[in-house]
Amino acid sequence: LSPDCSFTCHYRCRALVRLDCSGPPGAGDEDDGNEQVLEKDTNVDEPSEWEKTELDQAQVEQRIKEYNSQINSNLFMSLNKDGSYAGFIKVQLKLVRPVAVPATNRVPSLQAGRPHPQGVKRRTSFYLPKGTVKHLHILSHTRASEVIDALLRKFTVIDNPRKFALFERSEKDEQVYLRKLGDDEQPLRLRLLAGPSEKVLSFILKENETGEVNWDAFTLPELHNFLLILQREEEEHVRRLRHRYACCRQKMQEAL
């Protein structure tokens, strides 16, 4: 148990954990709190203004030139001979729950009394650090579901991709809007139409909150962990309620 971030793991897994716990408790939470007040979720079925825009080949070429002239890095977009184009998108990972990654340990074999190294596939879970950002080089026809798959491969996450969703974030009139992208939407096309400004459009990977949880998508260890988490939350909620009523009872007795 880390004293700074309260991260908990098995003692045998300590060597596998790579987290920066040097920051003070609660550091970096101010932005999340402010943004949560301003955020407004929009419907996935409601297309954004960029999704409605259709461009011909000449307009695509002109947009790419304008885009490349506005960026301050070497993450340019390029037009291919077949009419498609390639470029970079930046995705911020805002995951609340831990993700599962493979862990391979070597264990000795007891056959014939001679130790034989034998790989045993296991999985371990950990929280991705806040503010994790990844740049991906994709094509104009790359779909949102393929972007999610690529991100999970980059971080060797073995969770079901359906547990995650790609969101577009935009700011308008001092209001932050979040919209979940459909599986077949093309993030690079949205990036080109919106321009390079992260305030106008940015991409976020979050848990896929569908309202109705598909528990069949989780493994048995994950389900057991959820039960433990729910039990601890329930115990904490009961403890706070009892403390609250105990304080009220004490004040009433003092008044009497």
Side-chain angles (χ1 to χ4, degrees):
L1 177 64
S2 169
D4 291 330
C5 67
S6 300
F7 177 80
T8 307
C9 71
H10 297 98
Y11 72 94
R12 289 175 295 184
C13 301
R14 285 181 294 182
L16 301 173
V17 178
R18 296 290 185 270
L19 292 177
D20 181 13
C21 300
S22 57
D29 292 340
E30 294 81 6
D31 293 340
D32 292 341
N34 292 337
E35 181 174 295
Q36 193 170 8
V37 176
L38 297 175
E39 276 188 4
K40 177 182 179 182
D41 291 334
T42 54
N43 197 313
V44 65
D45 298 325
E46 180 184 343
S48 61
E49 55 182 299
W50 304 294
E51 185 64 19
K52 303 173 185 177
T53 306
E54 295 293 338
L55 300 177
D56 57 29
Q57 190 65 23
Q59 290 174 322
V60 168
E61 186 173 358
Q62 180 62 29
R63 288 276 187 143
I64 291 176
K65 291 180 180 179
E66 295 175 357
Y67 182 93
N68 291 338
S69 66
Q70 295 173 14
I71 62 175
N72 298 321
S73 63
N74 58 350
L75 304 180
F76 299 106
M77 286 194 188
S78 58
L79 186 64
N80 299 323
K81 294 181 180 179
D82 60 358
S84 64
Y85 49 95
F88 293 86
I89 62 169
K90 184 174 75 171
V91 181
Q92 184 179 9
L93 283 71
K94 285 189 175 183
L95 302 179
V96 178
R97 307 187 189 103
V99 294
V101 296
T104 302
N105 295 335
R106 296 286 182 176
V107 297
S109 173
L110 300 179
Q111 296 181 359
R114 298 190 329 193
H116 259 321
Q118 181 181 0
V120 176
K121 290 185 178 180
R122 299 183 180 180
R123 52 189 291 162
T124 184
S125 298
F126 73 99
Y127 289 91
L128 283 174
K130 284 186 178 180
T132 300
V133 173
K134 190 68 180 178
H135 286 86
L136 291 178
H137 186 261
I138 61 175
L139 297 171
S140 54
H141 53 74
T142 302
R143 298 178 296 131
S145 59
E146 295 172 326
V147 170
I148 295 175
D149 291 338
L151 286 170
L152 298 184
R153 287 196 303 269
K154 289 284 186 182
F155 291 95
T156 65
V157 175
I158 57 178
D159 285 313
N160 191 325
R162 302 300 299 176
K163 296 181 182 179
F164 307 93
L166 193 65
F167 288 78
E168 68 171 20
R169 177 188 183 277
S170 58
E171 296 184 19
K172 184 178 180 181
D173 300 328
E174 299 183 354
Q175 181 82 35
V176 176
Y177 294 87
L178 279 180
R179 185 182 72 91
K180 186 171 73 171
L181 270 63
D183 290 342
D184 294 330
E185 291 193 55
Q186 301 163 337
L188 189 62
R189 179 176 176 274
L190 297 176
R191 178 79 281 164
L192 176 63
L193 292 173
S197 172
E198 290 291 323
K199 286 190 175 182
V200 176
L201 175 70
S202 60
F203 296 107
I204 300 174
L205 183 71
K206 300 178 68 175
E207 281 85 3
N208 189 11
E209 302 292 353
T210 58
E212 192 69 29
V213 179
N214 182 16
W215 296 110
D216 293 333
F218 296 93
T219 62
L220 283 177
E222 288 176 324
L223 292 174
H224 284 302
N225 284 336
F226 288 147
L227 288 175
L228 289 175
I229 292 172
L230 289 175
Q231 180 182 354
R232 292 173 182 173
E233 289 180 352
E234 181 184 8
E235 292 173 351
E236 177 64 19
H237 187 63
V238 171
R239 187 193 65 80
R240 291 182 179 179
L241 281 177
R242 288 178 175 172
H243 177 71
R244 176 184 174 185
Y245 281 99
C247 291
C248 290
R249 189 179 295 108
Q250 181 181 359
K251 291 181 180 179
M252 291 179 187
Q253 290 175 349
E254 291 175 356
L256 290 174

